[in-house]
Amino acid sequence: MTTVLQPPLPSHPVLRLRLAPRGNLPRAIDGAWWPRSYDLLTELPRLLGGLPREWGHITSVTVNGTTWSAVPGRTLVSNQVVRLHRTRTASAPRTIVLLAPGRGRWDLLVVPPDTTEQAAESLMAAAAGGHV
């Protein structure tokens, strides 16, 4: 009998995030995020943990209320309170808005979790390049 060892699964899946280069001009979209599900309480800690340190502590997150699973008004991420807001406006059906007091606001395109890898890569590249 032969035993084949399987490599361990990563405990933290790779964050699928692409950010636009920093610049002085304001942008409509600051990058793209491709979550693995619409469960915000599972996905948000991964996203916030992978953001650049210079963005500071994100204290408020706004998502489309018709897209994401139900969420409470706030949650703890890395022992810090993050306020969660849901909007139903048609102007931002596939975005997530991140706010850090004194640092800024960032709007990310949300690539649907069930998007193929090829389509997701194309969407993320376009968002990071300012073509969305």
Side-chain angles (χ1 to χ4, degrees):
M1 182 169 145
T2 303
T3 302
V4 177
L5 296 176
Q6 296 292 329
L9 294 174
S11 59
H12 300 288
V14 174
L15 177 63
R16 302 182 298 188
L17 176 69
R18 181 134 351 130
L19 300 176
R22 291 180 19 166
N24 295 332
L25 298 176
R27 304 173 60 92
I29 294 291
D30 299 293
W33 173 45
W34 184 21
R36 288 173 165 62
S37 73
Y38 282 117
D39 181 352
L40 191 61
L41 295 180
T42 298
E43 300 293 338
L44 190 60
R46 289 185 200 136
L47 172 62
L48 298 185
L51 295 175
R53 287 190 179 271
E54 56 268 13
W55 284 23
H57 170 62
I58 303 297
T59 61
S60 178
V61 173
T62 302
V63 296
N64 183 289
T66 59
T67 303
W68 293 90
S69 60
V71 296
R74 61 186 164 183
T75 189
L76 279 178
V77 176
S78 298
N79 292 323
Q80 299 203 7
V81 174
V82 177
R83 292 196 170 118
L84 305 175
H85 306 278
R86 296 167 61 99
T87 182
R88 297 197 190 283
T89 61
S91 64
R94 295 218 170 140
T95 61
I96 184 168
V97 178
L98 310 171
L99 296 173
R103 297 288 179 104
R105 168 187 167 147
W106 295 273
D107 293 38
L108 300 177
L109 173 74
V110 177
V111 177
D114 59 350
T115 303
T116 66
E117 186 170 351
Q118 182 178 5
E121 284 297 324
S122 177
L123 287 168
M124 293 175 75
H131 305 293
V132 174

